[in-house]
Amino acid sequence: MKWLGILGLVALSECLVIIPLTKIKTTRETLRGENLMTHFLEEITDSRSQNATDDPNISLQPLRNYQDMYYTGNITIGTPPQEFRVLFDTALSCAWVLSIYCSSPSCGTHNLFNPERSTTLMPTGLSMNIKYSTRTIVGVLAYDTFRIMNLVDVGQPFLLTESQNGTDSAVFDGVLGLGSPRLGPKMCTPVFDNLKKRGLISQPIFAFYLSIRKENGSVLMFGGVDHSYHKGPLRWIPLSTGSFWQVKMNRITMKGVVVGCKRGCQGILNTGTTLLAGPTNLVTIIWKLINAMPYGEEYRVPCSNIRSLPSIIFTINGFDYPVPPEAYIWKGPHNICISRFEGATETWNWLETWVLGDAFLRMYLSVYDQGKKRVGLAPAV
């Protein structure tokens, strides 16, 4: 994304910038909870966010949580700035926002970027489309000024959507990709790469703290790590590929029984989904172990059984990372409890691959070190 190149911001190169995220519902949960939830949680101040450090170089801001899944933050684009709620996605490289050019009916329920109101927009007229999860985004490439908190840059490429599908109930206005440039078109340089190249951050590192307690705030950190957000040591894991934030895993167990990754496998850290996804045949085994039954397109678990279910343990680089049932089962209104496990990774990767979404990442502070090609994990506070 773009950031105004203001000379006075040179000092930011020594700062850790922490961006507030808002926790919101997934598309499915938005539909499921329609007319069942009439208000959001009240905005609550996270005392740790305010008092975590006395370092003047660290910028902290308390966050507001809405309820349930995806974690979003506010950015602005253009001059004067237009504000958007975006999803920060580690499995996507491009940035895109809904625009006034969008003809899809769902666009009318979102903030739309108006290029005619920005004096710094640089259009290209180049059409392109990107695949995002189950969605297809079609739009026009442009460059403009992006602002994320006090980070400002210019000339950031992004896509102004003209049409989309699969986003009718999405509650965000766009996506800011934090993945490798290899995941998108060459012209679509990721925001983080531009921040690094232009010296706006001191280290090529960002980190996510995704709150599991509704009263606490979630944050995205650029340029370093605020260690008050984790307990225990931060363990580093080398990347196994240059495309995704992907690591080698040793095994996946429940009650000491290997349920996946028997001969080793791959794990992708993905903040763009709440799910734990894997090969369908192995996920089916897990569904049976937790007594999950088909419920439409999902799998339902008796809510009364949650406390008796085992944790699922992902062993990565020799260390165990347990995920309790309260994290891998979503408890919704009317006593409906849904498994967060999903199959079908075999349709896009012949290797055994698992996607570790927010159900996993809420349990651990995750750090993404682009310079040393590694990720770090530590139990979240």
Side-chain angles (χ1 to χ4, degrees):
M1 300 196 152
K2 297 181 190 174
W3 314 95
L4 276 175
I6 299 176
L7 291 177
L9 292 176
V10 172
L12 285 176
S13 63
E14 298 301 319
C15 294
L16 167 62
V17 178
I18 296 185
I19 298 162
L21 301 178
T22 300
K23 184 171 156 185
I24 59 179
K25 293 193 283 187
T26 62
T27 298
R28 289 178 180 173
E29 290 158 348
T30 300
L31 291 172
R32 189 182 299 122
E34 187 175 359
N35 298 322
L36 299 176
M37 302 204 146
T38 58
H39 62 276
F40 291 122
L41 297 176
E42 292 183 339
E43 183 172 346
I44 297 175
T45 297
D46 179 355
S47 60
R48 186 190 61 258
S49 294
Q50 289 183 320
N51 303 313
T53 179
D54 294 324
D55 189 338
N57 289 328
I58 297 179
S59 173
L60 299 174
Q61 179 176 335
L63 308 184
R64 181 179 60 180
N65 296 329
Y66 288 124
Q67 191 158 355
D68 280 286
M69 304 295 166
Y70 290 144
Y71 296 82
T72 66
N74 291 337
I75 67 167
T76 67
I77 304 174
T79 308
Q82 302 175 43
E83 187 172 61
F84 302 94
R85 176 189 290 176
V86 298
L87 176 70
F88 295 91
D89 191 340
T90 55
L92 189 75
S93 62
C94 287
W96 63 264
V97 292
L98 302 174
S99 75
I100 60 171
Y101 301 140
C102 184
S103 57
S104 302
S106 60
C107 290
T109 63
H110 294 274
N111 292 329
L112 304 178
F113 181 74
N114 188 341
E116 297 176 1
R117 294 180 181 174
S118 176
T119 60
T120 49
L121 180 79
M122 295 175 285
T124 68
L126 179 63
S127 296
M128 63 174 58
N129 64 78
I130 56 174
K131 294 287 185 180
Y132 172 67
S133 183
T134 59
R135 309 172 176 96
T136 300
I137 306 298
V138 179
V140 178
L141 184 70
Y143 297 81
D144 207 340
T145 299
F146 276 62
R147 298 172 181 83
I148 303 177
M149 294 295 290
N150 54 349
L151 287 173
V152 189
D153 197 5
V154 295
Q156 173 62 40
F158 71 112
L159 202 64
L160 287 74
T161 59
E162 294 180 319
S163 67
Q164 56 165 336
N165 61 43
T167 59
D168 289 356
S169 298
V171 293
F172 45 86
D173 307 313
V175 171
L176 191 157
L178 291 170
S180 165
R182 298 183 186 183
L183 297 176
K186 291 182 179 179
M187 301 78 73
C188 211
T189 306
V191 170
F192 187 74
D193 290 64
N194 276 338
L195 293 178
K196 179 183 66 173
K197 180 175 66 176
R198 293 165 184 169
L200 295 175
I201 52 176
S202 57
Q203 301 180 73
I205 291 175
F206 63 90
F208 278 90
Y209 170 79
L210 303 179
S211 173
I212 59 174
R213 295 190 296 270
K214 291 186 172 80
E215 68 269 24
N216 285 338
S218 303
V219 294
L220 166 60
M221 313 168 198
F222 275 134
V225 182
D226 183 341
H227 294 284
S228 69
Y229 284 91
H230 71 87
K231 53 190 175 183
L234 183 65
R235 294 192 171 98
W236 293 102
I237 308 158
L239 296 181
S240 58
T241 178
S243 297
F244 291 103
W245 291 102
Q246 181 170 317
V247 297
K248 291 181 179 179
M249 298 200 299
N250 306 107
R251 59 188 172 274
I252 302 171
T253 57
M254 298 183 83
K255 286 189 173 180
V257 177
V258 178
V259 295
C261 202
K262 289 185 178 181
R263 298 177 181 83
C265 62
Q266 299 292 307
I268 297 173
L269 279 63
N270 182 0
T271 59
T273 179
T274 187
L275 299 172
L276 296 169
T280 302
N281 64 323
L282 299 178
V283 171
T284 299
I285 293 173
I286 295 173
W287 282 330
K288 290 179 180 179
L289 288 173
I290 64 176
N291 296 315
M293 301 298 292
Y295 180 69
E297 296 181 355
E298 301 168 314
Y299 277 73
R300 185 173 179 175
V301 177
C303 294
S304 58
N305 292 358
I306 294 178
R307 291 187 178 180
S308 64
L309 293 176
S311 294
I312 184 166
I313 299 174
F314 297 87
T315 303
I316 306 172
N317 208 30
F319 291 95
D320 292 342
Y321 296 91
V323 177
E326 294 82 4
Y328 66 71
I329 293 175
W330 178 79
K331 188 173 183 178
H334 291 318
N335 211 34
I336 294 176
C337 292
I338 303 294
S339 163
R340 297 187 195 272
F341 290 104
E342 185 168 276
T345 62
E346 73 276 6
T347 62
W348 51 269
N349 197 333
W350 64 274
L351 295 172
E352 183 183 339
T353 302
W354 292 77
V355 176
L356 306 182
D358 295 342
F360 175 89
L361 296 172
R362 272 191 294 274
M363 308 306 302
Y364 302 96
L365 175 80
S366 56
V367 184
Y368 305 79
D369 187 340
Q370 192 184 78
K372 295 184 178 180
K373 309 299 180 186
R374 60 183 184 172
V375 296
L377 293 172
V381 296

